[in-house]
């Protein structure tokens, strides 16, 4: 089964094509890296998959749920932790995540 299936996904900002017709499949359990130079569209793709940015065209399925038609359902399967929001830069990733887990009940 595919965890993520991207079909001709595009994002335009006025005349700028940030992402142009990307298609790919990531199987459940597969480790995948998204690499590219600055400005290649990596962040825009992640933002579209996580619902922070609406695609201009195309679609992506996360465990069979469309980010275009069922965005709220896809949010059950995906989360993003950008580097800019690190709780404590001197802690390890694990230590930061454990801090979030401990704080979560207080935030809800």
């Amino acid at each position: 089964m595919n965890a993520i299936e991207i079909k001709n996904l595009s994002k335009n900002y006025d005349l700028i094509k940030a992402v142009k017709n990307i298609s790919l499949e990531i199987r459940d359990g597969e480790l995948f890296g998204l690499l590219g130079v600055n400005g290649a569209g990596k962040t825009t793709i992640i933002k579209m998959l996580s619902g922070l940015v609406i695609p201009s065209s195309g679609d992506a399925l996360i465990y069979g749920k469309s980010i275009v038609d069922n965005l709220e359902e896809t949010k059950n399967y995906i989360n993003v932790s950008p580097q800019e929001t690190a709780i404590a830069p001197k802690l390890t990733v694990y230590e930061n995540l454990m801090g979030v887990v401990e704080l979560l009940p207080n935030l809800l």
Side-chain angles (χ1 to χ4, degrees), residues 81 83 85-103:
S81 179
Q83 66 188 25
T85 60
I87 294 171
K90 293 187 179 192
L91 297 180
T92 66
V93 172
Y94 178 79
E95 290 167 336
N96 272 289
L97 289 174
M98 291 312 297
V100 170
V101 168
E102 290 174 11
L103 292 173

Side-chain angles (χ1 to χ4, degrees), residues 44-105:
T44 302
I45 292 167
I46 297 301
K47 285 181 176 181
M48 286 189 285
L49 291 175
S50 61
L52 298 174
V53 170
I54 304 298
S56 299
S57 63
D59 199 359
L61 305 177
I62 300 176
Y63 287 104
K65 307 290 185 192
S66 165
I67 65 168
V68 173
D69 298 327
N70 298 305
L71 181 57
E72 289 306 313
E73 289 184 54
T74 65
K75 289 181 181 180
N76 293 322
Y77 300 106
I78 193 164
N79 201 341
V80 175
S81 179
Q83 66 188 25
E84 296 87 17
T85 60
I87 294 171
K90 293 187 179 192
L91 297 180
T92 66
V93 172
Y94 178 79
E95 290 167 336
N96 272 289
L97 289 174
M98 291 312 297
V100 170
V101 168
E102 290 174 11
L103 292 173
L104 193 56

Side-chain angles (χ1 to χ4, degrees), residues 5-77:
E5 186 174 347
I6 299 176
K7 303 175 182 180
N8 298 314
L9 200 61
S10 294
K11 180 61 183 176
N12 303 327
Y13 295 100
D14 295 320
L15 299 176
I16 298 170
K17 294 182 188 249
V19 175
K20 184 179 176 185
N21 295 327
I22 185 171
S23 295
L24 63 92
E25 295 177 358
I26 304 170
R27 307 237 349 123
D28 188 26
E30 182 176 30
L31 183 60
F32 181 84
L34 190 57
L35 304 174
V37 298
N38 288 346
K42 303 175 302 290
T43 300
T44 302
I45 292 167
I46 297 301
K47 285 181 176 181
M48 286 189 285
L49 291 175
S50 61
L52 298 174
V53 170
I54 304 298
S56 299
S57 63
D59 199 359
L61 305 177
I62 300 176
Y63 287 104
K65 307 290 185 192
S66 165
I67 65 168
V68 173
D69 298 327
N70 298 305
L71 181 57
E72 289 306 313
E73 289 184 54
T74 65
K75 289 181 181 180
N76 293 322
Y77 300 106

